[in-house]
Amino acid sequence: KQPESVDDKQYFRAYYDRLDVFLRNQQIVNYFSDKYNAGVGALLKSILRVTEQHTRTCRVKMSESVSTTQIFQNLQPEAPLANSIDTSNDLFYRKLDANGNPVNDEPDSGELSVERRSVIILALLEVVQADSSGIIVKVDERGTGQYRTNFERAAITLRDQCIDALVHEKFGSVHARVVRVLRDKQKLDEKVVAQAAMLPIASCRERLHDLALAGMIDTVEIPRSADRNPSRMFYLWYVNTDKQMRSAMRLVYQGMSNTIKRAVREVESRALLIAKTKREDVIADQSLLTDGEHKELRNLARIKQGLDIASVRLDSMLLLIYDINPHSADLQLHQ
């Protein structure tokens, strides 16, 4: 068979928007897998696979409707559903005999029957629909229902989770708790924040100022009088989402810059050794390198691998904070 001819005038380019869609969907699956179990993650993967071909960009806020039948058909046969949820005490899913006693009709092989598999999937759909994130929405009550994925809610949930991890890593668990309290309650006096976060007022005030200096939270002034005297004002703390995103992205970009600088410095400090390894005689005979030089090269490879992993992690954080946000195009990054 003759190989097909290639048109020299034809060009290709990477479709980054579609790549962001695939990466976002995988993050949604990971979110539910970590929060519940692998069976719920497999269910979300099935739901997202149905709508993936129609979702061209992360700017789409809501997916198309997916029927329960489509979810059944796209769920992988090897999906770990057996122990993902217990429906034995649920009267809606329990199968009874004529005397009202539970019936166990599962085969001894351990494989799920079609009926049992359907029961588990319906139960898992109820779980993800009731999840506090609001990512999966039931839009039709007829029959077994139809479901849609709220990508806007998914982007907010993943972004907040990522920023909480960033705050936890930079400041500690107490600061992350304060941020979560303000995100849930919004516009609180420092005394109320201290009470909700279970902190002494002095310690809470210190942490609020740390977060404000980092741009993670903001204040709003409420004057008691028309002259707006600072001594007669209420100061309420809240999460300014746009400002928080800009500050988080600044930290991520700073981290990326640091990893690049560190990689360059590590290579430059071993420039003579690297030049030696590129000599023809050394390439032909590695024994010309001493044990210390071999150890130094292994150490350099280990450091570069760690920096590469850090860069990938930072890039994934940037994806969650900015790239998958449907409103990211409206965000003023340089304020």
Side-chain angles (χ1 to χ4, degrees):
K1 184 179 178 180
Q2 294 293 330
E4 296 181 1
S5 60
V6 178
D7 187 358
D8 294 336
K9 297 181 179 179
Q10 200 169 34
Y11 296 89
F12 301 89
R13 65 181 178 88
Y15 197 168
Y16 294 111
D17 287 343
R18 284 283 287 169
L19 177 61
D20 285 345
V21 170
F22 291 126
L23 294 175
R24 177 201 59 194
N25 289 354
Q26 185 57 50
Q27 291 293 336
I28 295 174
V29 172
N30 293 343
Y31 169 79
F32 279 95
S33 297
D34 294 340
K35 189 172 184 178
Y36 295 100
N37 53 48
V40 179
L43 178 72
L44 263 292
K45 189 174 183 178
S46 171
I47 295 173
L48 294 170
R49 186 185 294 114
V50 176
T51 61
E52 219 166 46
Q53 57 184 339
H54 304 294
T55 308
R56 299 297 179 184
T57 174
C58 288
R59 301 293 175 265
V60 177
K61 298 180 182 179
M62 187 75 74
S63 73
E64 296 181 351
S65 300
V66 179
S67 66
T68 310
T69 304
Q70 290 175 300
I71 298 173
F72 290 165
Q73 293 173 347
N74 283 273
L75 191 62
Q76 297 295 330
E78 64 275 10
L81 299 178
N83 300 318
S84 58
I85 191 170
D86 182 12
T87 59
S88 59
N89 296 322
D90 196 325
L91 293 176
F92 181 78
Y93 297 111
R94 188 185 299 178
K95 187 175 182 180
L96 306 176
D97 58 16
N99 298 323
N101 299 317
V103 176
N104 184 12
D105 57 353
E106 288 300 311
D108 297 333
S109 62
E111 295 183 2
L112 293 175
S113 64
V114 175
E115 182 179 359
R116 177 61 182 161
R117 186 179 173 88
S118 301
V119 166
I120 292 177
I121 292 174
L122 290 174
L124 291 179
L125 283 172
E126 289 188 5
V127 170
V128 298
Q129 176 203 349
D131 185 77
S132 58
S133 64
I135 295 175
I136 301 299
V137 183
K138 191 173 185 179
V139 294
D140 193 347
E141 297 291 342
R142 292 176 296 180
T144 53
Q146 295 201 1
Y147 298 85
R148 300 180 74 180
T149 305
N150 189 331
F151 291 128
E152 187 172 17
R153 284 296 310 160
I156 293 172
T157 301
L158 295 174
R159 180 200 66 203
D160 291 345
Q161 188 181 52
C162 179
I163 292 178
D164 287 347
L166 192 64
V167 173
H168 184 280
E169 184 174 339
K170 184 173 178 61
F171 298 103
S173 59
V174 179
H175 289 78
R177 190 197 316 160
V178 171
V179 171
R180 286 194 295 270
V181 167
L182 289 174
R183 183 183 297 126
D184 293 339
K185 305 296 183 181
Q186 285 291 334
K187 293 188 173 63
L188 298 178
D189 179 71
E190 62 180 20
K191 295 180 181 179
V192 181
V193 177
Q195 183 179 6
M198 296 179 291
L199 292 172
I201 184 66
S203 177
C204 181
R205 185 181 298 119
E206 180 182 350
R207 285 164 172 79
L208 286 170
H209 285 289
D210 290 342
L211 293 168
L213 288 174
M216 293 298 168
I217 60 176
D218 207 348
T219 57
V220 59
E221 301 174 349
I222 301 179
R224 297 184 184 182
S225 57
D227 60 355
R228 301 184 67 88
N229 191 322
S231 62
R232 292 194 297 272
M233 280 191 181
F234 290 110
Y235 293 92
L236 301 182
W237 298 91
Y238 74 106
V239 173
N240 185 333
T241 304
D242 288 351
K243 184 177 180 179
Q244 187 184 64
M245 287 178 61
R246 289 194 297 269
S247 300
M249 290 175 63
R250 192 178 302 114
L251 290 174
V252 172
Y253 282 128
Q254 183 63 49
M256 289 181 173
S257 175
N258 291 341
T259 57
I260 294 172
K261 290 177 181 178
R262 172 71 184 277
V264 171
R265 188 172 71 242
E266 293 292 340
V267 171
E268 288 179 347
S269 65
R270 300 170 178 83
L272 294 177
L273 177 57
I274 294 174
K276 182 178 178 180
T277 60
K278 295 179 180 180
R279 283 167 27 192
E280 294 183 0
D281 57 334
V282 176
I283 294 175
D285 185 5
Q286 290 292 316
S287 63
L288 295 176
L289 294 173
T290 64
D291 292 341
E293 289 173 335
H294 280 294
K295 182 178 179 180
E296 193 64 25
L297 288 173
R298 288 194 297 270
N299 186 40
L300 176 62
R302 180 182 59 80
I303 293 174
K304 290 178 68 175
Q305 183 181 25
L307 292 173
D308 289 341
I309 293 172
S311 297
V312 172
R313 184 186 173 202
L314 290 168
D315 190 63
S316 65
M317 295 176 73
L318 191 61
L319 170 80
L320 298 178
I321 295 172
Y322 180 77
D323 291 340
I324 67 173
N325 183 1
H327 304 289
S328 58
D330 302 327
L331 181 64
Q332 301 294 325
L333 296 179
H334 304 293
Q335 286 186 358

